[in-house]
Amino acid sequence: MEFIDFLLEDFFVTGQPLIYGAMVSIVLVSIAIVFVLSYFKKWGWLWREWLTTVDHKKIGIMYIIAALAMLFRGGVDALLMRTQLTLPGMEFLDSQHYNEIFTTHGTIMIIFMAMPFLIGLMNYIVPLQIGARDVAFPFLNALSFWSFAFGAMIFNLSFVIGGSPDAGWTSYTPMAGATLNPGPAQNYYLIGLQVSGIGTLATGINFIVTILKMRAPGMKMMRLPIFTWSTFITSIIIVFAFPILTVALALMTIDRIFGSHFFTLTGEGMPMMWANLFWLWGHPEVYIVILPAFGIFSEIISTFARKQLFGYKAMVYSMVVIAGLSFVVWVHHFFTMGAGGAVNSFFSITTMLIAVPTGVKIFNWLGTMYKGRIRFDTPMLWSLAFIPCFVIGGVTGVMLAMAAADYQYHNTYFLVAHFHYVLIAGTVFGCFAGLTYWYPKMFGHKMNEKLGKISFWFFVIGFNVCFFPMYFLGFAGMPRRTYTIEPEWMALNVTASIGAILMAIGFAVFVYNIYYSFRYSQRETHGDTWDGRALEWATTTPVPFYNFATVPKIEGPEAYWRMKENGRTTYEKEKVEPIHMPSDSGVPFVMMAFMFIASFGLIWEWIGIAIAGLIGVLACMVIRSFDYDDGFYVSVEEIKQTEKKAREGEQ
């Protein structure tokens, strides 16, 4: 009986109809997946082709699929919040449930949606853009993905087992400390982010080495496609920023589970130190999810304006400046916390300065389109919509950069509007644009243009209808982090909720478009779907597992454009040699499964289970240390047969 009481009172979340519905959905979906895999005898295929793969292209696709699932989860949270805030006195969510949804929405969208979506695109495209056959460390790449996947699983378990974290996505102490927030909920946040962060840090290291060491002959740094440059600079930010988060999460975990006092006043700790550490990571994190999107928009605008990117060097240097400044602006997140005039003035100036290189990029994009022969395909529509929406977010960011004005704006819905205009217009538009643009390269067919444009208009109109009124709600005094509204704020909140519904319809159409296109779209017979300019379009579609039959020789910027002008391809039949490729491995999946077990034990403070899981992780490390598999060679005959089959369709 005691065990049953524990399950019902502490282990499973009870008392919420929405949670019961989620539990039923999880069980039904799990049963359906097991049934389909068993009925069609696909378990072996799943293990061989996906769970053990080290192919950067498949890993990129898995990142994107997981990110779309997280976008659905975070979007549902957003709709629940908007429902609660639509009318005064709503009791759709109580304050506790609202806090939980508010916390999970922000965390999922930043950590488990935006970053993996962009990392997925990086994984697929960057090796192709630099003429490489894989990333520098394929095994580590697989480990990175499974680290993210199991970290996301840990975090998402919380809302049905143990309870969701409820201290906000920033989890400020002492609100997130053990005294005010006992139980496993906050531990899910700490451990889930920690496990996922390991993978992100490894990804940063992997891409830095890949871009520095794996470039094709002649691919000098200043000839790199701008998306690869944005990936390189983002990876540098990751390597410097994520260790800060790792340390902060570890310290709070030790506080909560082992009773130390790094962030508690009772033991002479410093609660404010958490805010400093969090934002020392958190503001560079904003640019981790924005810079790759800038790279995506640059590629798309250049392709669909049918012009070389205007001001290439200025774009590169501006990203370098943004990366540097991103580490010296974090205090603007607590201008209202009494740091003093001198400190506030310094960080106010650095925050305003970061608008300068960002503005340079806006003019570069406009200059690229000037006198271009612009095609208005769906990826270009997302890119065009991004510019005015992001400018609105940027200008209001400069308003918030003024410390004195920030005292008025900071804890209002004005700030909520600002960061959604930056992150949705910058990152989410970029994710949709990038996936639509590179989708034919990934899957061998375009997404349906009509459905793509319907999705675009619903989402973009809904976005502006949802978030633009929030600026005025902020001016009207509506505080952020509130779960009820006053009658005078109702009209604008109703408007915002209508916008949220339009965005949800846009996302639903986008997902349906994936299904529809898979069923009905004409298959690509040529790798160069959009008349592209960078090297990823030089391969056949679908891309062979070795990427390039012969390593391309790069003679200038926009490598593929020059190849087309000179009538060359990346396949020189007489120069084909055996290609060395890495072997697949199940160790990354198994290792992170053990990490999941260890993490679950630590979350519930079941130290025995945590130790058992950790032993499993260490055992996998030992197995890997004695793994002398050096990969395999693809024979010349197999390469020629693969290329012949792929290129017959191009004729």
Side-chain angles (χ1 to χ4, degrees):
M1 285 301 294
E2 289 183 7
F3 180 69
I4 299 296
D5 290 341
F6 164 74
L7 287 179
L8 295 178
E9 293 179 12
D10 297 315
F11 193 71
F12 290 112
V13 178
T14 57
Q16 293 282 355
L18 289 172
I19 301 297
Y20 292 143
M23 288 178 174
V24 171
S25 300
I26 291 169
V27 171
L28 292 177
V29 169
S30 300
I31 292 171
I33 291 171
V34 170
F35 173 78
V36 169
L37 290 172
S38 301
Y39 183 80
F40 291 103
K41 299 178 181 178
K42 291 293 185 180
W43 287 105
W45 167 84
L46 181 67
W47 176 257
R48 290 189 305 273
E49 296 293 325
W50 295 97
L51 300 185
T52 63
T53 187
V54 296
D55 185 341
H56 70 95
K57 299 178 289 295
K58 290 182 178 179
I59 289 171
I61 290 169
M62 288 193 291
Y63 265 117
I64 292 168
I65 292 170
L68 284 170
M70 291 298 97
L71 181 55
F72 172 77
R73 163 77 204 277
V76 169
D77 285 345
L79 288 174
L80 295 175
M81 284 192 289
R82 283 304 333 149
T83 302
Q84 171 63 20
L85 293 173
T86 302
L87 301 172
M90 284 285 281
E91 296 180 357
F92 179 68
L93 302 173
D94 60 34
S95 59
Q96 174 62 24
H97 198 186
Y98 183 89
N99 284 346
E100 293 172 2
I101 287 173
F102 167 84
T103 301
T104 55
H105 168 73
T107 308
I108 284 171
M109 287 303 204
I110 294 289
I111 305 294
F112 301 120
M113 191 290 289
M115 275 205 305
F117 207 127
L118 294 167
I119 289 172
L121 293 173
M122 291 176 192
N123 258 285
Y124 202 101
I125 299 302
V126 167
L128 296 176
Q129 286 198 333
I130 64 174
R133 293 201 166 106
D134 210 317
V135 293
F137 307 117
F139 181 93
L140 187 64
N141 199 27
L143 193 71
S144 298
F145 170 74
W146 291 114
S147 175
F148 149 73
F150 280 105
M153 200 181 302
I154 290 166
F155 187 86
N156 279 277
L157 267 181
S158 63
F159 83 108
V160 291
I161 299 176
S164 294
D166 60 358
W169 87 277
T170 55
S171 285
Y172 283 164
T173 53
M175 201 160 41
T179 303
L180 297 180
N181 205 324
Q186 187 62 23
N187 295 344
Y188 275 109
Y189 172 95
L190 297 169
I191 305 299
L193 265 62
Q194 189 76 284
V195 173
S196 181
I198 293 168
T200 305
L201 181 57
T203 295
I205 295 167
N206 210 343
F207 277 108
I208 289 173
V209 178
T210 299
I211 294 167
L212 288 178
K213 292 294 186 181
M214 304 284 285
R215 303 192 306 276
M219 180 68 82
K220 300 175 182 177
M221 289 298 286
M222 294 310 288
R223 291 177 177 176
L224 289 174
I226 208 73
F227 178 64
T228 298
W229 256 115
S230 71
T231 299
F232 179 66
I233 294 167
T234 298
S235 298
I236 292 172
I237 299 175
I238 286 172
V239 167
F240 281 96
F242 262 82
I244 303 170
L245 179 67
T246 299
V247 169
L249 292 169
L251 294 179
M252 191 188 283
T253 302
I254 295 169
D255 268 11
R256 288 182 56 85
I257 296 175
F258 299 105
S260 63
H261 298 285
F262 293 107
F263 303 120
T264 59
L265 287 172
T266 51
E268 299 187 8
M270 296 177 65
M272 187 62 192
M273 186 53 65
W274 168 266
N276 273 282
L277 290 172
F278 183 88
W279 286 114
L280 261 171
W281 161 81
H283 204 85
E285 165 66 15
V286 172
Y287 294 97
I288 288 170
V289 297
I290 284 290
L291 288 181
F294 286 174
I296 292 167
F297 293 129
S298 299
E299 299 284 350
I300 291 171
I301 288 171
S302 175
T303 298
F304 289 97
R306 294 183 251 194
K307 281 179 61 184
Q308 188 169 353
L309 187 68
F310 175 78
Y312 172 90
K313 288 185 178 180
M315 291 286 270
V316 172
Y317 295 143
S318 67
M319 284 193 289
V320 173
V321 173
I322 287 171
L325 286 173
S326 72
F327 285 92
V328 288
V329 297
W330 82 93
V331 174
H332 71 219
H333 291 277
F334 32 91
F335 277 156
T336 57
M337 293 187 186
V343 172
N344 282 359
S345 296
F346 173 82
F347 286 95
S348 183
I349 291 166
T350 57
T351 304
M352 291 184 197
L353 277 177
I354 212 164
V356 176
T358 307
V360 166
K361 304 175 89 58
I362 299 291
F363 286 106
N364 286 144
W365 292 317
L366 295 176
T368 303
M369 289 186 285
Y370 180 65
K371 291 189 176 180
R373 294 171 295 132
I374 299 174
R375 302 203 319 263
F376 294 97
D377 296 276
T378 305
M380 188 62 167
L381 292 181
W382 285 110
S383 304
L384 292 173
F386 148 77
I387 294 174
C389 293
F390 188 80
V391 167
I392 292 170
V395 169
T396 52
V398 174
M399 293 170 66
L400 288 159
M402 296 180 283
D406 188 69
Y407 267 77
Q408 302 300 319
Y409 304 139
H410 186 78
N411 282 315
T412 72
Y413 255 67
F414 185 91
L415 186 136
V416 176
H418 154 70
F419 69 69
H420 281 91
Y421 260 88
V422 169
L423 289 173
I424 293 182
T427 302
V428 179
F429 285 17
C431 290
F432 287 155
L435 181 56
T436 308
Y437 178 58
W438 283 308
Y439 193 89
K441 179 57 62 179
M442 295 178 181
F443 300 106
H445 58 273
K446 285 183 182 179
M447 293 180 73
N448 181 272
E449 271 292 302
K450 184 176 181 181
L451 286 174
K453 288 175 179 175
I454 291 171
S455 169
F456 164 80
W457 285 112
F458 265 109
F459 197 92
V460 172
I461 292 171
F463 162 71
N464 285 284
V465 171
C466 181
F467 292 104
F468 199 72
M470 292 184 188
Y471 284 119
F472 299 98
L473 284 168
F475 286 139
M478 181 172 166
R480 61 189 179 130
R481 302 177 181 139
T482 183
Y483 87 105
T484 58
I485 64 169
E486 299 296 326
E488 60 265 28
W489 303 328
M490 188 182 83
L492 290 174
N493 272 289
V494 169
T495 304
S497 295
I498 292 170
I501 293 169
L502 294 176
M503 291 172 72
I505 294 171
F507 176 67
V509 174
F510 186 90
V511 173
Y512 174 71
N513 193 2
I514 294 173
Y515 163 77
Y516 181 88
S517 302
F518 174 75
R519 288 288 304 273
Y520 302 113
S521 283
Q522 184 177 353
R523 269 35 190 177
E524 292 292 310
T525 58
H526 194 281
D528 188 14
T529 305
W530 306 107
D531 194 18
R533 310 179 78 85
L535 206 55
E536 74 269 24
W537 302 109
T539 63
T540 57
T541 297
V543 184
F545 66 94
Y546 49 76
N547 291 355
F548 297 96
T550 53
V551 177
K553 304 292 189 296
I554 310 304
E555 297 174 352
E558 298 198 307
Y560 184 46
W561 195 256
R562 288 174 179 265
M563 283 184 180
K564 288 193 285 189
E565 287 180 336
N566 297 329
R568 295 193 298 109
T569 71
T570 57
Y571 178 44
E572 299 177 70
K573 196 171 183 180
E574 66 283 358
K575 294 184 179 180
V576 174
E577 297 177 350
I579 297 172
H580 179 262
M581 295 298 293
S583 298
D584 290 341
S585 174
V587 174
F589 177 83
V590 175
M591 185 189 297
M592 298 320 298
F594 277 120
M595 182 68 82
F596 176 86
I597 294 168
S599 300
F600 194 75
L602 196 59
I603 286 164
W604 285 89
E605 302 182 34
W606 298 337
I607 304 303
I609 292 177
I611 292 172
L614 187 58
I615 290 170
V617 173
L618 294 173
C620 289
M621 290 182 178
V622 171
I623 291 169
R624 172 62 179 169
S625 298
F626 290 95
D627 181 3
Y628 298 111
D629 185 347
D630 292 328
F632 64 96
Y633 281 91
V634 187
S635 68
V636 171
E637 185 62 30
E638 183 180 349
I639 296 166
K640 288 183 176 180
Q641 287 180 354
T642 303
E643 293 294 318
K644 180 182 179 183
K645 183 178 179 181
R647 293 174 188 276
E648 278 176 352
E650 293 183 4
Q651 304 305 319

